[in-house]
Short mmCIF file of all heavy atoms in Angstrom, two decimals:
data_model
loop_
_atom_site.label_atom_id
_atom_site.label_comp_id
_atom_site.label_asym_id
_atom_site.label_seq_id
_atom_site.Cartn_x
_atom_site.Cartn_y
_atom_site.Cartn_z
N GLY A 1453 -38.25 -0.04 -22.37
CA GLY A 1453 -37.31 0.25 -23.51
C GLY A 1453 -38.08 0.74 -24.72
O GLY A 1453 -37.68 0.61 -25.98
N ARG A 1454 -39.26 1.53 -24.40
CA ARG A 1454 -39.93 2.08 -25.46
C ARG A 1454 -39.94 3.71 -25.14
O ARG A 1454 -40.78 4.07 -24.23
CB ARG A 1454 -41.32 1.66 -25.45
CG ARG A 1454 -41.48 0.05 -25.84
CD ARG A 1454 -42.90 -0.31 -25.68
NE ARG A 1454 -42.99 -1.85 -25.91
CZ ARG A 1454 -43.30 -2.29 -27.14
NH1 ARG A 1454 -43.45 -1.45 -28.30
NH2 ARG A 1454 -43.40 -3.66 -27.37
N PRO A 1455 -39.11 4.46 -25.69
CA PRO A 1455 -39.04 5.91 -25.30
C PRO A 1455 -40.51 6.56 -25.59
O PRO A 1455 -40.72 7.49 -24.83
CB PRO A 1455 -38.08 6.39 -26.37
CG PRO A 1455 -37.21 5.18 -26.81
CD PRO A 1455 -38.19 4.13 -26.84
N GLU A 1456 -41.23 6.16 -26.56
CA GLU A 1456 -42.60 6.82 -26.80
C GLU A 1456 -43.51 6.61 -25.64
O GLU A 1456 -44.32 7.44 -25.42
CB GLU A 1456 -43.17 6.23 -27.97
CG GLU A 1456 -43.60 4.73 -28.09
CD GLU A 1456 -42.36 3.94 -28.46
OE1 GLU A 1456 -41.25 4.27 -28.33
OE2 GLU A 1456 -42.69 2.84 -28.89
N ILE A 1457 -43.26 5.57 -24.80
CA ILE A 1457 -44.09 5.35 -23.61
C ILE A 1457 -43.46 6.02 -22.37
O ILE A 1457 -44.01 6.76 -21.48
CB ILE A 1457 -44.28 3.89 -23.27
CG1 ILE A 1457 -45.14 3.30 -24.41
CG2 ILE A 1457 -45.04 3.63 -21.90
CD1 ILE A 1457 -46.58 3.90 -24.59
N GLU A 1458 -42.08 5.87 -22.26
CA GLU A 1458 -41.37 6.25 -20.98
C GLU A 1458 -41.20 7.78 -20.90
O GLU A 1458 -41.09 8.27 -19.86
CB GLU A 1458 -39.99 5.55 -20.98
CG GLU A 1458 -40.14 4.02 -20.85
CD GLU A 1458 -39.03 3.24 -21.39
OE1 GLU A 1458 -38.07 3.85 -22.10
OE2 GLU A 1458 -38.83 2.10 -21.03
N THR A 1459 -41.21 8.48 -22.05
CA THR A 1459 -41.07 9.88 -21.91
C THR A 1459 -42.22 10.59 -21.29
O THR A 1459 -42.02 11.37 -20.35
CB THR A 1459 -40.83 10.45 -23.39
OG1 THR A 1459 -39.59 10.09 -23.86
CG2 THR A 1459 -40.73 12.04 -23.20
N PRO A 1460 -43.35 10.34 -21.72
CA PRO A 1460 -44.62 10.96 -21.00
C PRO A 1460 -44.85 10.28 -19.59
O PRO A 1460 -45.38 11.01 -18.67
CB PRO A 1460 -45.78 10.53 -21.94
CG PRO A 1460 -45.32 9.46 -22.70
CD PRO A 1460 -43.92 9.51 -22.95
N MET A 1461 -44.33 9.03 -19.42
CA MET A 1461 -44.37 8.38 -18.05
C MET A 1461 -43.57 9.16 -17.10
O MET A 1461 -44.11 9.45 -15.92
CB MET A 1461 -43.98 6.94 -18.17
CG MET A 1461 -44.08 6.17 -16.80
SD MET A 1461 -43.38 4.54 -16.89
CE MET A 1461 -41.57 5.05 -16.86
N VAL A 1462 -42.34 9.49 -17.40
CA VAL A 1462 -41.46 10.25 -16.58
C VAL A 1462 -42.16 11.58 -16.13
O VAL A 1462 -41.86 12.02 -15.01
CB VAL A 1462 -40.06 10.31 -17.17
CG1 VAL A 1462 -39.13 11.24 -16.30
CG2 VAL A 1462 -39.40 8.90 -17.26
N ALA A 1463 -42.72 12.16 -17.16
CA ALA A 1463 -43.32 13.48 -16.89
C ALA A 1463 -44.54 13.46 -16.03
O ALA A 1463 -44.92 14.47 -15.46
CB ALA A 1463 -43.53 14.22 -18.15
N ALA A 1464 -45.19 12.42 -16.01
CA ALA A 1464 -46.48 12.30 -15.26
C ALA A 1464 -46.21 12.09 -13.85
O ALA A 1464 -45.16 11.58 -13.33
CB ALA A 1464 -47.28 11.01 -15.87
N GLU A 1465 -47.28 12.69 -12.89
CA GLU A 1465 -47.26 12.34 -11.51
C GLU A 1465 -48.26 11.35 -11.09
O GLU A 1465 -48.88 10.83 -11.93
CB GLU A 1465 -47.48 13.82 -10.90
CG GLU A 1465 -46.45 14.87 -11.11
CD GLU A 1465 -45.11 14.50 -10.53
OE1 GLU A 1465 -45.02 13.81 -9.64
OE2 GLU A 1465 -44.08 15.10 -11.03
N GLN A 1466 -48.21 10.99 -9.87
CA GLN A 1466 -49.02 9.95 -9.30
C GLN A 1466 -50.48 10.51 -9.62
O GLN A 1466 -50.95 11.56 -9.32
CB GLN A 1466 -48.87 9.75 -7.90
CG GLN A 1466 -49.56 8.69 -7.25
CD GLN A 1466 -49.26 8.26 -5.85
OE1 GLN A 1466 -48.04 8.23 -5.50
NE2 GLN A 1466 -50.14 8.03 -4.94
N GLY A 1467 -51.29 9.53 -10.12
CA GLY A 1467 -52.72 9.80 -10.35
C GLY A 1467 -53.07 10.13 -11.90
O GLY A 1467 -54.19 9.98 -12.34
N ASP A 1468 -51.90 10.59 -12.60
CA ASP A 1468 -51.86 10.96 -13.98
C ASP A 1468 -52.16 9.74 -14.90
O ASP A 1468 -51.68 8.74 -14.56
CB ASP A 1468 -50.81 11.76 -14.41
CG ASP A 1468 -50.71 13.22 -13.69
OD1 ASP A 1468 -51.78 13.64 -13.08
OD2 ASP A 1468 -49.62 13.77 -13.63
N TRP A 1469 -52.79 10.00 -16.09
CA TRP A 1469 -52.75 9.00 -17.17
C TRP A 1469 -52.60 9.64 -18.46
O TRP A 1469 -52.80 10.86 -18.66
CB TRP A 1469 -54.02 8.18 -17.11
CG TRP A 1469 -55.35 8.85 -17.43
CD1 TRP A 1469 -56.16 9.45 -16.55
CD2 TRP A 1469 -55.90 9.09 -18.73
NE1 TRP A 1469 -57.29 10.09 -17.09
CE2 TRP A 1469 -56.99 9.83 -18.47
CE3 TRP A 1469 -55.50 8.73 -20.13
CZ2 TRP A 1469 -57.82 10.20 -19.59
CZ3 TRP A 1469 -56.31 9.04 -21.04
CH2 TRP A 1469 -57.54 9.91 -20.71
N PHE A 1470 -52.17 8.86 -19.44
CA PHE A 1470 -51.87 9.47 -20.72
C PHE A 1470 -52.24 8.27 -21.80
O PHE A 1470 -52.22 7.13 -21.45
CB PHE A 1470 -50.47 10.05 -20.99
CG PHE A 1470 -49.45 8.98 -20.71
CD1 PHE A 1470 -48.92 8.19 -21.85
CD2 PHE A 1470 -48.84 8.72 -19.45
CE1 PHE A 1470 -47.98 7.33 -21.60
CE2 PHE A 1470 -47.85 7.91 -19.24
CZ PHE A 1470 -47.33 7.13 -20.33
N GLY A 1471 -52.54 8.57 -23.00
CA GLY A 1471 -52.73 7.76 -24.10
C GLY A 1471 -53.86 8.31 -24.86
O GLY A 1471 -54.51 9.23 -24.66
N PRO A 1472 -54.16 7.72 -26.23
CA PRO A 1472 -53.34 6.51 -26.60
C PRO A 1472 -52.10 6.91 -27.21
O PRO A 1472 -51.95 7.92 -27.90
CB PRO A 1472 -54.23 5.90 -27.61
CG PRO A 1472 -55.13 6.96 -28.24
CD PRO A 1472 -55.24 8.02 -27.04
N VAL A 1473 -50.99 6.01 -27.03
CA VAL A 1473 -49.71 6.20 -27.61
C VAL A 1473 -49.50 5.03 -28.55
O VAL A 1473 -49.43 3.74 -28.05
CB VAL A 1473 -48.60 6.40 -26.61
CG1 VAL A 1473 -47.22 6.48 -27.27
CG2 VAL A 1473 -48.81 7.57 -25.68
N GLN A 1474 -49.26 5.22 -29.84
CA GLN A 1474 -49.02 4.02 -30.74
C GLN A 1474 -47.40 3.65 -30.60
O GLN A 1474 -46.58 4.56 -30.73
CB GLN A 1474 -49.29 4.41 -32.13
CG GLN A 1474 -49.28 3.12 -32.98
CD GLN A 1474 -49.82 3.53 -34.41
OE1 GLN A 1474 -50.02 4.69 -34.81
NE2 GLN A 1474 -50.35 2.50 -35.16
N VAL A 1475 -47.24 2.39 -30.37
CA VAL A 1475 -45.80 1.91 -30.25
C VAL A 1475 -45.46 1.28 -31.65
O VAL A 1475 -46.24 1.24 -32.65
CB VAL A 1475 -45.70 0.90 -29.07
CG1 VAL A 1475 -46.02 1.57 -27.77
CG2 VAL A 1475 -46.57 -0.22 -29.22
N GLN A 1476 -44.27 0.74 -31.74
CA GLN A 1476 -43.70 0.25 -32.99
C GLN A 1476 -44.48 -0.97 -33.49
O GLN A 1476 -44.43 -1.07 -34.78
CB GLN A 1476 -42.25 -0.05 -32.82
CG GLN A 1476 -41.31 1.12 -32.59
CD GLN A 1476 -39.82 0.81 -32.38
OE1 GLN A 1476 -39.58 -0.52 -32.21
NE2 GLN A 1476 -39.03 1.76 -32.43
N ASP A 1477 -44.99 -1.67 -32.69
CA ASP A 1477 -45.70 -2.80 -33.28
C ASP A 1477 -47.18 -2.48 -33.71
O ASP A 1477 -47.99 -3.36 -34.14
CB ASP A 1477 -45.86 -4.01 -32.19
CG ASP A 1477 -46.50 -3.64 -30.83
OD1 ASP A 1477 -47.16 -2.44 -30.86
OD2 ASP A 1477 -46.52 -4.36 -29.90
N GLY A 1478 -47.53 -1.18 -33.58
CA GLY A 1478 -48.84 -0.77 -34.07
C GLY A 1478 -49.94 -0.67 -33.15
O GLY A 1478 -51.02 -0.18 -33.38
N ARG A 1479 -49.76 -1.20 -31.89
CA ARG A 1479 -50.64 -1.24 -30.85
C ARG A 1479 -50.73 0.07 -30.20
O ARG A 1479 -49.80 0.89 -30.33
CB ARG A 1479 -50.53 -2.38 -29.86
CG ARG A 1479 -50.72 -3.69 -30.62
CD ARG A 1479 -50.78 -4.85 -29.54
NE ARG A 1479 -49.57 -5.16 -28.73
CZ ARG A 1479 -49.53 -5.95 -27.85
NH1 ARG A 1479 -50.52 -6.66 -27.41
NH2 ARG A 1479 -48.22 -6.12 -27.12
N PHE A 1480 -51.77 0.31 -29.36
CA PHE A 1480 -52.10 1.59 -28.76
C PHE A 1480 -52.03 1.44 -27.16
O PHE A 1480 -52.67 0.47 -26.74
CB PHE A 1480 -53.27 2.30 -29.17
CG PHE A 1480 -53.40 2.51 -30.65
CD1 PHE A 1480 -53.78 1.46 -31.52
CD2 PHE A 1480 -53.04 3.73 -31.13
CE1 PHE A 1480 -53.78 1.81 -32.83
CE2 PHE A 1480 -53.15 4.05 -32.47
CZ PHE A 1480 -53.54 3.01 -33.40
N TRP A 1481 -51.23 2.26 -26.46
CA TRP A 1481 -51.18 2.07 -25.02
C TRP A 1481 -51.81 3.29 -24.37
O TRP A 1481 -51.74 4.45 -24.74
CB TRP A 1481 -49.60 2.09 -24.50
CG TRP A 1481 -48.89 0.93 -25.00
CD1 TRP A 1481 -48.95 0.14 -26.05
CD2 TRP A 1481 -47.97 0.17 -24.02
NE1 TRP A 1481 -47.96 -0.92 -25.98
CE2 TRP A 1481 -47.45 -0.93 -24.70
CE3 TRP A 1481 -47.44 0.45 -22.80
CZ2 TRP A 1481 -46.52 -1.74 -24.14
CZ3 TRP A 1481 -46.62 -0.36 -22.19
CH2 TRP A 1481 -46.18 -1.49 -22.96
N PHE A 1482 -52.43 2.83 -23.22
CA PHE A 1482 -52.86 4.00 -22.26
C PHE A 1482 -52.22 3.52 -20.90
O PHE A 1482 -52.12 2.36 -20.53
CB PHE A 1482 -54.43 3.90 -22.02
CG PHE A 1482 -55.13 4.33 -23.24
CD1 PHE A 1482 -55.48 3.36 -24.23
CD2 PHE A 1482 -55.66 5.63 -23.25
CE1 PHE A 1482 -56.13 3.69 -25.22
CE2 PHE A 1482 -56.57 5.99 -24.46
CZ PHE A 1482 -56.66 5.12 -25.40
N VAL A 1483 -51.55 4.59 -20.19
CA VAL A 1483 -50.93 4.27 -18.96
C VAL A 1483 -51.33 5.09 -17.82
O VAL A 1483 -51.48 6.43 -18.06
CB VAL A 1483 -49.43 4.41 -19.19
CG1 VAL A 1483 -48.67 4.21 -17.88
CG2 VAL A 1483 -48.73 3.45 -20.25
N LYS A 1484 -51.63 4.56 -16.68
CA LYS A 1484 -51.97 5.41 -15.49
C LYS A 1484 -50.85 5.11 -14.28
O LYS A 1484 -50.52 3.96 -14.13
CB LYS A 1484 -53.30 5.05 -15.00
CG LYS A 1484 -53.85 5.76 -13.75
CD LYS A 1484 -55.20 5.45 -13.40
CE LYS A 1484 -55.68 6.28 -12.22
NZ LYS A 1484 -54.96 6.02 -11.02
N ILE A 1485 -50.47 6.21 -13.79
CA ILE A 1485 -49.44 6.22 -12.65
C ILE A 1485 -50.15 6.02 -11.38
O ILE A 1485 -50.75 7.01 -10.82
CB ILE A 1485 -48.60 7.44 -12.69
CG1 ILE A 1485 -48.16 7.83 -14.04
CG2 ILE A 1485 -47.41 7.17 -11.77
CD1 ILE A 1485 -47.31 6.76 -14.78
N ASP A 1486 -50.22 4.78 -10.84
CA ASP A 1486 -50.84 4.59 -9.58
C ASP A 1486 -50.08 4.91 -8.39
O ASP A 1486 -50.56 5.28 -7.39
CB ASP A 1486 -51.25 2.99 -9.43
CG ASP A 1486 -52.27 2.59 -10.58
OD1 ASP A 1486 -53.16 3.43 -10.85
OD2 ASP A 1486 -52.05 1.43 -11.15
N GLY A 1487 -48.72 5.00 -8.46
CA GLY A 1487 -47.86 5.18 -7.42
C GLY A 1487 -46.44 5.38 -7.86
O GLY A 1487 -45.90 4.77 -8.79
N ILE A 1488 -45.68 6.24 -7.04
CA ILE A 1488 -44.27 6.54 -7.49
C ILE A 1488 -43.56 6.60 -6.06
O ILE A 1488 -44.04 7.24 -5.13
CB ILE A 1488 -44.16 8.01 -8.11
CG1 ILE A 1488 -44.92 7.97 -9.38
CG2 ILE A 1488 -42.58 8.17 -8.40
CD1 ILE A 1488 -44.84 9.27 -10.07
N GLU A 1489 -42.44 5.94 -6.01
CA GLU A 1489 -41.73 5.95 -4.84
C GLU A 1489 -40.28 6.27 -5.20
O GLU A 1489 -39.60 5.71 -5.95
CB GLU A 1489 -41.58 4.46 -4.17
CG GLU A 1489 -40.70 4.47 -2.98
CD GLU A 1489 -40.62 3.09 -2.40
OE1 GLU A 1489 -41.76 2.33 -2.39
OE2 GLU A 1489 -39.55 2.71 -1.92
N ARG A 1490 -39.85 7.56 -4.69
CA ARG A 1490 -38.56 8.09 -5.13
C ARG A 1490 -37.70 8.21 -3.82
O ARG A 1490 -38.04 8.59 -2.77
CB ARG A 1490 -38.68 9.48 -5.67
CG ARG A 1490 -39.35 9.54 -7.02
CD ARG A 1490 -39.29 10.84 -7.66
NE ARG A 1490 -39.81 11.07 -8.92
CZ ARG A 1490 -41.13 11.40 -9.24
NH1 ARG A 1490 -41.89 11.76 -8.26
NH2 ARG A 1490 -41.56 11.47 -10.50
N GLY A 1491 -36.54 7.64 -3.87
CA GLY A 1491 -35.53 7.76 -2.79
C GLY A 1491 -35.01 9.11 -2.73
O GLY A 1491 -35.05 10.02 -3.53
N PRO A 1492 -34.08 9.44 -1.65
CA PRO A 1492 -33.38 10.54 -1.49
C PRO A 1492 -32.42 10.82 -2.65
O PRO A 1492 -31.65 9.89 -2.96
CB PRO A 1492 -32.85 10.62 -0.12
CG PRO A 1492 -32.59 9.20 0.10
CD PRO A 1492 -33.81 8.51 -0.55
N GLN A 1493 -32.41 12.12 -3.18
CA GLN A 1493 -31.38 12.35 -4.36
C GLN A 1493 -30.32 13.19 -3.73
O GLN A 1493 -30.49 14.41 -3.32
CB GLN A 1493 -32.28 13.06 -5.48
CG GLN A 1493 -33.46 12.37 -5.92
CD GLN A 1493 -32.99 11.02 -6.73
OE1 GLN A 1493 -32.37 11.12 -7.73
NE2 GLN A 1493 -33.63 9.82 -6.25
N LEU A 1494 -29.16 12.70 -3.69
CA LEU A 1494 -27.97 13.55 -3.17
C LEU A 1494 -27.13 13.82 -4.47
O LEU A 1494 -26.60 13.06 -5.19
CB LEU A 1494 -27.20 12.61 -2.25
CG LEU A 1494 -27.89 12.30 -0.99
CD1 LEU A 1494 -27.00 11.46 -0.02
CD2 LEU A 1494 -28.26 13.59 -0.15
N SER A 1495 -26.81 15.07 -4.50
CA SER A 1495 -25.81 15.64 -5.38
C SER A 1495 -24.28 15.28 -5.02
O SER A 1495 -24.17 14.80 -3.82
CB SER A 1495 -25.96 17.08 -5.62
OG SER A 1495 -25.53 17.75 -4.34
N LEU A 1496 -23.38 15.38 -5.89
CA LEU A 1496 -22.09 15.12 -5.45
C LEU A 1496 -21.64 15.98 -4.21
O LEU A 1496 -20.81 15.56 -3.32
CB LEU A 1496 -21.12 15.33 -6.64
CG LEU A 1496 -19.56 15.15 -6.45
CD1 LEU A 1496 -19.30 13.78 -5.79
CD2 LEU A 1496 -18.86 15.40 -7.75
N GLU A 1497 -22.08 17.29 -4.35
CA GLU A 1497 -21.71 18.17 -3.24
C GLU A 1497 -22.27 17.83 -1.95
O GLU A 1497 -21.62 17.82 -0.87
CB GLU A 1497 -22.24 19.68 -3.58
CG GLU A 1497 -21.37 20.23 -4.72
CD GLU A 1497 -21.57 19.65 -6.09
OE1 GLU A 1497 -22.61 19.05 -6.32
OE2 GLU A 1497 -20.68 19.81 -6.91
N ASP A 1498 -23.44 17.18 -2.12
CA ASP A 1498 -24.11 16.83 -0.80
C ASP A 1498 -23.56 15.60 -0.20
O ASP A 1498 -23.54 15.25 0.96
CB ASP A 1498 -25.66 16.66 -0.94
CG ASP A 1498 -26.40 17.86 -1.25
OD1 ASP A 1498 -25.91 18.93 -0.86
OD2 ASP A 1498 -27.47 17.80 -1.92
N ALA A 1499 -23.03 14.68 -1.11
CA ALA A 1499 -22.57 13.36 -0.74
C ALA A 1499 -21.05 13.39 -0.50
O ALA A 1499 -20.51 12.37 0.11
CB ALA A 1499 -22.98 12.36 -1.77
N GLN A 1500 -20.31 14.41 -0.80
CA GLN A 1500 -18.83 14.14 -0.77
C GLN A 1500 -18.29 14.02 0.55
O GLN A 1500 -17.31 13.21 0.61
CB GLN A 1500 -18.23 15.49 -1.44
CG GLN A 1500 -18.43 16.78 -0.80
CD GLN A 1500 -17.84 18.07 -1.50
OE1 GLN A 1500 -17.22 17.80 -2.56
NE2 GLN A 1500 -18.03 19.14 -0.98
N ALA A 1501 -18.83 14.65 1.65
CA ALA A 1501 -18.35 14.36 3.07
C ALA A 1501 -18.40 12.91 3.32
O ALA A 1501 -17.52 12.29 3.94
CB ALA A 1501 -19.06 15.24 3.91
N SER A 1502 -19.57 12.34 3.15
CA SER A 1502 -19.70 10.92 3.53
C SER A 1502 -18.91 9.94 2.69
O SER A 1502 -18.33 9.01 3.04
CB SER A 1502 -21.25 10.63 3.36
OG SER A 1502 -21.73 10.69 2.13
N ILE A 1503 -18.67 10.46 1.37
CA ILE A 1503 -17.89 9.48 0.44
C ILE A 1503 -16.43 9.59 0.96
O ILE A 1503 -15.75 8.55 1.05
CB ILE A 1503 -18.00 10.03 -1.00
CG1 ILE A 1503 -19.35 9.84 -1.60
CG2 ILE A 1503 -16.90 9.41 -1.78
CD1 ILE A 1503 -19.52 10.43 -2.89
N GLU A 1504 -15.91 10.87 1.29
CA GLU A 1504 -14.63 10.97 1.85
C GLU A 1504 -14.43 10.09 2.99
O GLU A 1504 -13.30 9.35 3.16
CB GLU A 1504 -14.27 12.39 2.00
CG GLU A 1504 -12.77 12.60 2.57
CD GLU A 1504 -12.46 14.04 2.61
OE1 GLU A 1504 -13.36 14.87 2.36
OE2 GLU A 1504 -11.23 14.29 3.03
N GLU A 1505 -15.20 10.05 3.87
CA GLU A 1505 -15.18 9.30 5.11
C GLU A 1505 -15.11 7.85 4.84
O GLU A 1505 -14.35 7.04 5.55
CB GLU A 1505 -16.34 9.76 6.04
CG GLU A 1505 -16.26 8.88 7.42
CD GLU A 1505 -15.03 9.19 8.25
OE1 GLU A 1505 -14.35 10.20 7.98
OE2 GLU A 1505 -14.71 8.13 8.88
N SER A 1506 -16.11 7.46 3.87
CA SER A 1506 -15.98 5.99 3.51
C SER A 1506 -14.63 5.57 2.96
O SER A 1506 -14.21 4.46 3.18
CB SER A 1506 -17.23 5.88 2.59
OG SER A 1506 -17.21 4.44 2.14
N LEU A 1507 -14.13 6.37 2.04
CA LEU A 1507 -13.01 5.99 1.40
C LEU A 1507 -11.76 5.97 2.40
O LEU A 1507 -10.83 5.16 2.21
CB LEU A 1507 -12.67 6.96 0.31
CG LEU A 1507 -13.52 6.92 -0.95
CD1 LEU A 1507 -13.27 8.06 -1.99
CD2 LEU A 1507 -13.52 5.54 -1.62
#
Side-chain angles (χ1 to χ4, degrees):
R1454 297 177 181 269
E1456 63 273 26
I1457 296 296
E1458 292 156 352
T1459 298
M1461 181 191 72
V1462 170
E1465 295 296 333
Q1466 183 169 325
D1468 294 345
W1469 64 270
F1470 59 89
V1473 176
Q1474 188 172 19
V1475 299
Q1476 290 181 352
D1477 62 6
R1479 296 194 292 177
F1480 299 85
W1481 285 46
F1482 295 82
V1483 178
K1484 182 176 183 294
I1485 314 300
D1486 296 320
I1488 305 176
E1489 181 182 322
R1490 294 187 176 97
Q1493 304 291 301
L1494 292 179
S1495 66
L1496 176 59
E1497 288 67 27
D1498 293 333
Q1500 62 182 357
S1502 63
I1503 293 175
E1504 181 175 4
E1505 178 61 23
S1506 177
L1507 293 177

